[in-house]
Structure formats: C-alpha cells, structure tokens
Amino acid sequence: MLFKTRNFDDAAIVLQARDLTVSLPETPGNPQVLKSIDVTIRASETVCLVGESGSGKSVTSLAIMGLLPEALKVSTGTIMLQGRDLLPLSQAQMRELRAARVAMIFQEPMTALNPVLRVGDQIMEVMELHTTLTASERRTRALAIMEQVHLPDIERIFRSYPHQLSGGQRQRIMIAMALVLEPVLLIADEPTTALDVTTQTQILRLIDELQQKHGTAVLFITHDMGVVAEIADTVYVMKQGEIVESGAVQTLLRNPQADYTRALLKAVPSLSPRAARAGTGDAVLRVENLNKIYGGGGILKKLPEAHAAKDVSFSLSRGQTLGIVGESGSGKSTVARCIMRLIDPSAGRIMLDGTDIAQLSRSALRPHRQKLQVVFQDPMRSLNPRWTIAESLIEGPLNYGTRRRDALAEAARLMGIVGLPEDALARYPHQFSGGQRQRIAIARAVMMRPDVLVADEAVSALDVSVQAQVLDLLDQLQRDLGIAIVFITHDLRVAAQICDDVMVMQRGAVVEHGPATQVLAAPAHAYTRALIEAAPGRSWDFQNFREMPKVPYAQPA
C-alpha cells in the first residue's frame, strides 16, 4: 500500500469549523455532545473522522448539513463553507445549499432512498429542485452520472426501484445523487460498513476517482482503520465529543501520540490467522450436499431458478468455529438459514447430533430448536423493544419448561459473563449501546445452552474496540461451554481471529475449504486471493504501527 502524499497547504479551504460546540440545552446540566472542535478540509482533500460509536462523528456531519435533531443545538463556534458561515442560515437557505454545494452519503441507502420511486426519478428530482434544466436535460445528466459511477445497464437501472438493486448498486445511486450537481463538499457517513470487501473496494475507488475528476473535498466518517489507511489524506480522531489527535495519515498511523488512538489501532484484527484449536472429533453438526433453489414455480409461466446453495458440505466439532466468507449473494446467509431451518433446503442432509433435521416438520423440529441458536447482525431488530432484557432472555427457557425463578437466576449469571451489570435486566433495548445490545443477544442465545451457535455478521456493524470485546466474549463462551460456532462474515480480519476452519463461497458454491491457517495464508483459489487482496489496509500492521512488506502467497500444498 502506498500512502497518499499530496500536499494541500496551498489548496483552497472548502470547509472550516472552529470552536464548534453542540449541547443538549433542555437536559439538566446542559451536557456538551461536541466540545470546541476544529476541522479544516481543503479542495480535493479526503479527511477521515474516526472514533467509536458515540464519539460525535455523525453529530459533526449533521451540524455541517444543518440536520441536527431538535434536542441538539450549536451553542458556540462557526462552520464556514467557502467563507460563508452556515450557522446563521435559515432552513430554506440550507435546503438551497444541500446537494448543490454540500452533499451527503448515508450508511444505509435502503433507508435513504424512497422505496416507491424509481431510482432514475430520484436522481432527476435533485436537479429539479436545484436547477432550471428541462426534463430531457435532467434525464441526460442522470444517465451520464450513472455511467460515471460505473453502473451496468444504466437504462434498466434508471427504471428500477431500490429493492431491485444490490447493496453496492444502491450505494452507487446514492453517490450519483450526491455528485450530480458537483458539490464542493461530499460527506460520507460510514458508506461502506455493511458492504463486502470487494464491493467496498469498488466504492472507495469510485469516490476517489470522482473526487479527482471534480476536485471535491471529502469528509469520510468511519470506524474502519483499514479504510482510513487506504483513502485518507488527513485524520481526526474523536472521543466523547472531542478531537484527541489529528494529522497526516502516514504520521498518525506510524506514530500515534494519544493513548486512545493507539488503543483504536491495536484493536484492529490482524489478517494473520490464529492457530487452529484441536476439536473433540465429535461432529455436532454435519451438512451433506445441501442445496437451496429459489424460483422455478409460477402459475402462468415458469419463473427462472436461482441456485443459492449448491452441494454445500462440511462438518463441525464441539468447541470449534467454522467461518463462512464471501461476497453478498455468495450464499453464506442462505446456508445459515437452512441450518437454522428458517428456510427449507431443497435437498441434502443437516445432521444435528446424529438427527437429520433437514426435512422435519415444524412440530417435529421443535425439540431440536433448543440445540440451535442464532445471533443476527442487528440486535435492535431481534430484541423486542417493548420487553425488558429479563423478559427477552427468559422467553426461550420458559417455552422449554424451565421455572421462571431458575431462568431469572441464569439470566442474572449470564449478565455477569457478558460484562453487563445485573440491573441491566430491568432495562429496555434502547437504553443500551450497539455493542451492549449484541452482548445481550449473545446471552439470550446462550441461555438455551445450545450445541451450535450461528452468528450471521454478528460484529460487522460494531466499531473495532467493541468488535474486539464481542469476539473475545464468543471465544471465552466457546471455551467454557464447548459450543460449536458457524460464523458468517464478509470481514476476513474477523475470520482470521476467530475461525479454526474457513469455507469460501461464491455464487452458491464452495470454492475453497480448509484450516484458516491454510485458506487465509496460502489461498488456492483465485476468488479467495481476490477477497484477501480487497481487504482494506491489508499490508498494514496496525498493532505495531508499521507497514509490512508485501510478500507473495505461500504455495498451497
């Protein structure tokens, strides 16, 4: 990896925030969410704002956009966009500036795009609000920007609705909407967090390409230090509303001064796989020739078939972790859902403790549910917001005949194991951070004392320090309870840290499967090598603050 070495001292200042303080005026004590922060962004410069959840990164971006929620107020400071202070502007004046002078890409395009409008109409709507172009001219420019963001078959996608596009395509539409009027400042708030590594790499290259073409200044908000190493010119590190360190990316990564910055870097998982642990040899889960085919039905005409899983086979011993990796659409989650019997496999066997559960009826499957538990990517969606944590944790055991008193005692014990106070049982999901909610979701799964735990992207939305804590928790629970884990992830750094074996999937098929030390260190398949090459910051040793020389892959045996 080569760091950017561009000099921006002579470039025009696009955005300058000075002494920016944001507070909660209606809260007792008037607590400050942002504390006198200073940020400068110059033309064609990429500034990365990094820090854990709750550090103030997104509040900074919302303050610049004039989109702070009513509870938050800017109490002091200035935000100068090309010499014009944004803070005194009315909402009508800010609406004129948004998209035209400053634009934003959000983390989840599915929530930012209108689901009932075709994406082409949504791009044209931006121009309709801010230009005097005719409908024909708007359409021509919309198609041109779609071509610039490298969307395939732009005429078809122009007529498509958001749900008909992939995650990477939706994010490209968001970029097209943001850049169609050539703003001077682009704010990107975690735009690649939920994307697989190859799509993430494409999006990062696209933003850089368009930035160079249009001279746009970019404020990139992320918790991924690998992304920072790839794209940043300048880095600002935030903690609890304050900037604790800033500087050129190569200086900050090689010689971090603040203890917090050093801790963030040390929390980044290494791509070097851990040594595999010896299993018991007792295969608690064995999958044989699993297939899942969608489509093929239809009343008036036969629908095309989609082979989401093709002859997938593996076995998993107690106390071991199998990682299933691949891009979006590779079949990872399909395999996980078949194992859990959340969907029915089309063919194949799923042997759980010697019993084939692949074709069992729902009623016959019920006794086996206790042995299989799952942790999803978003715990906020999987926890009932109206139930206390205690009610969520004891629901499963009560359904299987455990006395309420015993279930509550076990829930209290597990709170201590996952690092939460016992009084957390009386609170509700919204009262916890994302990392804490994921710990609660893990505790709920472990309450059932399962033989197999399926973790589907369970840490992908967490910042690096919380991610490290959750991975350590899973490792400790596995050692203590002997649980077998199926770990679905698109993050190869995470797979290297927690998995004993790795199975690589592409378009529903397994292209490589073996010990993590072999698959990740000496990949035999070109697709596996492409995934590893696409990992952001691959050549950087974050724990030791140094760049590693690139070495060729070891030849597979």
Side-chain angles (χ1 to χ4, degrees):
M1 178 190 69
L2 293 175
F3 283 116
K4 295 181 178 181
T5 56
R6 294 177 291 179
N7 189 335
F8 294 94
D9 291 344
D10 297 328
I13 293 176
V14 173
L15 182 98
Q16 191 168 45
R18 285 289 175 265
D19 193 32
L20 182 62
T21 300
V22 175
S23 59
L24 290 157
E26 298 182 5
T27 302
N30 192 24
Q32 294 179 340
V33 180
L34 294 184
K35 306 170 185 177
S36 300
I37 69 167
D38 295 336
V39 175
T40 300
I41 311 173
R42 297 176 181 271
S44 297
E45 182 182 20
T46 298
V47 169
C48 279
L49 203 56
V50 301
E52 296 173 288
S53 298
S55 62
K57 307 187 302 293
S58 293
V59 172
T60 301
S61 67
L62 292 175
I64 295 168
M65 293 291 294
L67 294 174
L68 285 174
E70 290 186 5
L72 295 175
K73 301 294 181 185
V74 176
S75 50
T76 64
T78 58
I79 302 174
M80 309 295 290
L81 181 69
Q82 292 186 314
R84 184 184 187 186
D85 192 355
L86 302 183
L87 293 180
L89 300 185
S90 66
Q91 279 299 314
Q93 290 172 312
M94 282 302 301
R95 279 194 296 270
E96 287 296 319
L97 282 177
R98 292 185 201 120
R101 306 303 294 160
V102 55
M104 191 166 183
I105 307 170
F106 294 96
Q107 177 175 346
E108 178 45 68
M110 200 58 182
T111 58
L113 292 170
N114 190 326
V116 300
L117 287 181
R118 300 178 193 274
V119 296
D121 292 333
Q122 296 188 55
I123 297 174
M124 290 199 300
E125 184 181 35
V126 175
M127 292 180 276
E128 186 176 4
L129 291 172
H130 295 279
T131 72
T132 58
L133 296 174
T134 65
S136 175
E137 290 170 334
R138 292 197 298 269
R139 189 179 192 280
T140 300
R141 185 179 289 193
L143 291 171
I145 193 69
M146 289 173 68
E147 192 169 17
Q148 284 187 46
V149 299
H150 306 306
L151 282 164
D153 194 1
I154 57 176
E155 287 284 355
R156 176 187 63 80
I157 290 182
F158 185 91
R159 299 189 301 271
S160 299
Y161 292 93
H163 72 273
Q164 296 174 308
L165 306 179
S166 70
Q169 288 173 336
R170 287 194 292 265
Q171 199 60 282
R172 288 170 188 266
I173 291 294
M174 288 295 299
I175 294 171
M177 290 175 65
L179 294 180
V180 69
L181 298 182
E182 299 188 11
V184 294
L185 175 65
L186 175 67
I187 301 175
D189 190 356
E190 301 275 13
T192 61
T193 297
L195 303 178
D196 56 65
V197 287
T198 50
T199 306
Q200 181 184 64
T201 298
Q202 294 166 7
I203 295 297
L204 294 177
R205 287 176 179 168
L206 173 62
I207 292 174
D208 184 66
E209 174 190 327
L210 294 173
Q211 179 188 33
Q212 301 314 309
K213 183 180 294 184
H214 299 287
T216 313
V218 175
L219 176 62
F220 199 101
I221 296 169
T222 184
H223 63 252
D224 190 332
M225 300 306 291
V227 169
V228 171
E230 294 287 346
I231 71 166
D233 296 301
T234 305
V235 184
Y236 290 82
V237 182
M238 294 192 72
K239 178 185 180 183
Q240 296 177 354
E242 296 181 278
I243 293 174
V244 297
E245 186 169 1
S246 64
V249 61
Q250 61 267 41
T251 303
L252 188 135
L253 293 186
R254 288 193 174 104
N255 188 27
Q257 298 299 304
D259 290 341
Y260 179 70
T261 308
R262 298 172 72 87
L264 277 183
L265 292 170
K266 285 183 174 293
V268 178
S270 170
L271 264 171
S272 301
R274 74 174 187 188
R277 295 177 301 190
T280 62
D282 178 15
V284 64
L285 177 68
R286 192 167 69 251
V287 174
E288 300 174 354
N289 300 315
L290 178 69
N291 283 267
K292 179 60 182 177
I293 300 174
Y294 292 103
I299 299 175
L300 300 179
K301 66 176 182 178
K302 189 172 183 179
L303 300 174
E305 290 186 348
H307 212 149
K310 306 174 186 177
D311 296 320
V312 176
S313 299
F314 64 85
S315 63
L316 182 61
S317 300
R318 297 181 188 277
Q320 286 201 307
T321 298
L322 169 69
I324 305 181
V325 304
E327 298 171 287
S328 298
S330 62
K332 309 186 301 294
S333 292
T334 295
V335 170
R337 284 169 168 75
C338 285
I339 294 170
M340 292 296 302
R341 283 299 310 275
L342 298 176
I343 57 176
D344 296 329
S346 303
R349 300 208 304 168
I350 303 170
M351 307 297 294
L352 180 64
D353 281 336
T355 301
D356 185 5
I357 65 169
Q359 303 301 328
L360 292 182
S361 66
R362 298 299 170 186
S363 57
L365 188 62
R366 189 177 186 277
H368 301 279
R369 289 283 191 199
Q370 188 172 1
K371 299 178 182 180
L372 274 170
Q373 292 296 304
V374 64
V375 179
F376 293 104
Q377 177 175 350
D378 186 355
M380 197 60 182
R381 291 185 180 182
S382 56
L383 294 170
N384 190 326
R386 298 185 178 183
W387 284 6
T388 63
I389 301 306
E391 292 299 324
S392 288
L393 263 60
I394 68 175
E395 179 195 17
L398 291 183
N399 288 338
Y400 281 88
T402 302
R403 292 187 303 175
R404 185 179 182 86
R405 182 179 63 186
D406 294 338
L408 284 171
E410 177 65 6
R413 186 183 75 85
L414 280 176
M415 283 293 96
I417 290 176
V418 300
L420 292 173
E422 189 174 331
D423 63 10
L425 292 172
R427 291 149 65 186
Y428 291 87
H430 73 272
Q431 296 175 294
F432 296 89
S433 69
Q436 289 172 326
R437 284 195 293 266
Q438 198 61 290
R439 289 168 179 267
I440 291 165
I442 293 170
R444 184 180 63 174
V446 173
M447 279 286 291
M448 302 299 294
R449 303 196 176 183
D451 293 327
V452 178
L453 179 67
V454 177
D456 191 356
E457 298 283 9
V459 298
S460 64
L462 304 177
D463 54 61
V464 286
S465 56
V466 177
Q467 184 183 81
Q469 295 166 12
V470 172
L471 292 177
D472 288 343
L473 171 62
L474 286 172
D475 185 67
Q476 188 59 49
L477 287 172
Q478 189 174 48
R479 291 175 184 274
D480 294 344
L481 305 175
I483 299 172
I485 298 178
V486 178
F487 198 92
I488 314 292
T489 184
H490 65 254
D491 190 332
L492 298 182
R493 292 181 182 277
V494 171
Q497 295 311 296
I498 196 170
C499 299
D500 301 295
D501 291 331
V502 171
M503 188 168 77
V504 183
M505 293 191 68
Q506 181 186 28
R507 296 173 188 164
V510 177
V511 298
E512 190 161 0
H513 182 196
T517 49
Q518 173 185 313
V519 173
L520 297 180
H525 198 277
Y527 178 69
T528 309
R529 292 195 291 271
L531 286 179
I532 296 172
E533 289 286 352
R538 172 179 173 261
S539 64
W540 189 258
D541 179 2
F542 292 99
Q543 291 80 10
N544 295 302
F545 319 125
R546 64 187 178 91
E547 193 174 8
M548 299 180 297
K550 188 171 182 179
V551 295
Y553 291 113
Q555 293 300 311

